[in-house]
Amino acid sequence: MNRKLIAGNWKMNGLRVDLQTVREIAAGLAASTAAPEALLCVPATLLAEAARQASGTALCIGGQTCHSQEKGAYTGDVSAPMLKEAGAGFVITGHSERRTGHGETDEIVAAQARAAVNAGLTPIICVGETLDERTSGATLKVIEGQLTGSLDGLEPNSFVLAYEPLWAIGTGKVATPAQIAEVHAFIRQFLEQRFGKPGQTVKILYGGSLNPGNAAEILPISNVDGGLIGGASLKAGDFLAIYNAAAALTV
Ligand code: PGA
């Protein structure tokens, strides 16, 4: 069984005072090597200090996006080598808030993911359908298109995927276990067709209103290898409750 990955996405939240939450989460993790992996993707401004405070603990720190180029005239952007140097181990790429708010296409997402891998980071590549796409029955077709484009040029052991239905992000609306199981099985099948045997072990996270109340129901679903958690990752107690729900499955 894949070791589960419980990943927090702080989005545009977090000032220095919130480093206390990083310390509380790091202190609350299990020490065992069989325990789930834990990750917090914090704002770029907090990354170096969060990584310093998490060092020597089981908590990994990650970024939330990166540019596809290593350096250059890209005002306001952050490159993968910059994140790596600041202490990141992972970076989210293609989050729906970047795809819709910043016009990031599958092609751009793939280039960012390749840049992350080249810098020694593990990209967490996000895919997911809108409510309109789901109600019109286009979910699997949309996911297939996003996977085909966003994984271009990547090796199977170099990235993590996250399935995040857009209508479930930050809305309190969670996909049903049957909906999650269907899409995750579809993604697994896609990965096996594309990569063969190594496609069986690529981690696929679920994201979208995951919280302490539903984690124990969602995390055991077949092909769910962890979670990408927005709102509930801002509170140490909530993040740790989700982490403990994953840990309870590994013992
Ligand atoms: P949410 O966000 O848990 O607040 O729904 C998930 C995400 O956007 O990664």
Side-chain angles (χ1 to χ4, degrees), residues 65-72 74 77-81 83 91 93 98 104-119:
T65 184
C66 66
H67 199 276
S68 59
Q69 299 298 312
E70 276 181 29
K71 59 181 176 177
Y74 304 101
D77 280 313
V78 176
S79 75
L83 296 176
V91 61
T93 57
R98 303 285 316 173
E104 292 181 0
T105 61
D106 291 328
E107 199 181 8
I108 292 171
V109 173
Q112 293 170 341
R114 289 194 300 269
V117 172
N118 288 338

Side-chain angles (χ1 to χ4, degrees), residues 107-131:
E107 199 181 8
I108 292 171
V109 173
Q112 293 170 341
R114 289 194 300 269
V117 172
N118 288 338
L121 300 172
T122 301
I124 300 177
I125 302 166
C126 303
V127 296
E129 81 286 2
T130 62
L131 188 56

Side-chain angles (χ1 to χ4, degrees), residues 3 29-37 58 243 250-251:
R3 206 173 150 208
L29 300 175
S32 134
T33 50
E37 290 180 83
Y243 173 86
T250 23
V251 288

Side-chain angles (χ1 to χ4, degrees), residues 9 11 95 97 164 168-171 207-210 228-232:
N9 173 12
K11 309 191 180 187
H95 190 282
E97 287 153 17
E164 298 204 305
I169 295 177
T171 57
S209 298
L210 198 53
L228 184 55
I229 302 135

Side-chain angles (χ1 to χ4, degrees), residues 4-250:
K4 294 213 190 287
L5 170 61
I6 302 301
N9 173 12
W10 275 16
K11 309 191 180 187
M12 200 173 73
N13 298 291
L15 297 170
R16 284 185 69 86
V17 63
D18 301 300
L19 291 165
Q20 173 65 22
T21 306
V22 175
R23 288 192 292 276
E24 284 172 28
I25 288 174
L29 300 175
S32 134
T33 50
E37 290 180 83
L39 164 69
L40 280 184
C41 295
V42 298
T45 47
L46 288 185
L47 215 150
E49 190 54 25
R52 201 178 68 77
Q53 302 209 9
S55 95
T57 76
L59 181 63
C60 293
I61 300 297
Q64 300 176 5
T65 184
C66 66
H67 199 276
S68 59
Q69 299 298 312
E70 276 181 29
K71 59 181 176 177
Y74 304 101
T75 303
D77 280 313
V78 176
S79 75
M82 291 171 183
L83 296 176
K84 175 73 180 173
E85 187 184 64
F90 291 78
V91 61
I92 299 168
T93 57
H95 190 282
S96 60
E97 287 153 17
R98 303 285 316 173
R99 288 179 184 264
T100 50
H102 297 263
E104 292 181 0
T105 61
D106 291 328
E107 199 181 8
I108 292 171
V109 173
Q112 293 170 341
R114 289 194 300 269
V117 172
N118 288 338
L121 300 172
T122 301
I124 300 177
I125 302 166
C126 303
V127 296
E129 81 286 2
T130 62
L131 188 56
D132 276 357
E133 288 163 345
R134 175 156 285 276
T135 45
S136 69
T139 298
L140 299 183
K141 208 170 158 33
V142 167
I143 301 293
E144 183 176 17
Q146 290 175 337
L147 290 172
T148 303
S150 307
L151 300 185
D152 192 34
L154 290 169
E155 299 292 330
N157 52 4
S158 66
F159 63 89
V160 168
L161 276 172
Y163 168 56
E164 298 204 305
L166 270 66
W167 47 273
I169 295 177
T171 57
K173 259 191 217 156
V174 194
T176 65
Q179 289 171 329
I180 296 172
E182 183 193 27
V183 177
H184 280 242
F186 178 80
I187 294 174
R188 178 68 66 210
Q189 195 184 22
F190 178 97
L191 292 168
E192 285 175 11
Q193 270 166 15
R194 175 122 168 194
F195 299 113
K197 201 160 189 293
Q200 292 171 0
T201 49
V202 172
K203 280 190 173 67
I204 310 170
L205 313 182
Y206 169 77
S209 298
L210 198 53
N211 63 45
N214 57 34
E217 185 182 21
I218 292 173
L219 294 172
I221 295 171
S222 182
N223 293 305
V224 172
D225 302 304
L228 184 55
I229 302 135
S233 72
L234 295 169
K235 290 192 190 130
D238 285 358
F239 182 89
L240 287 170
I242 298 169
Y243 173 86
N244 288 331
L249 300 170
T250 23

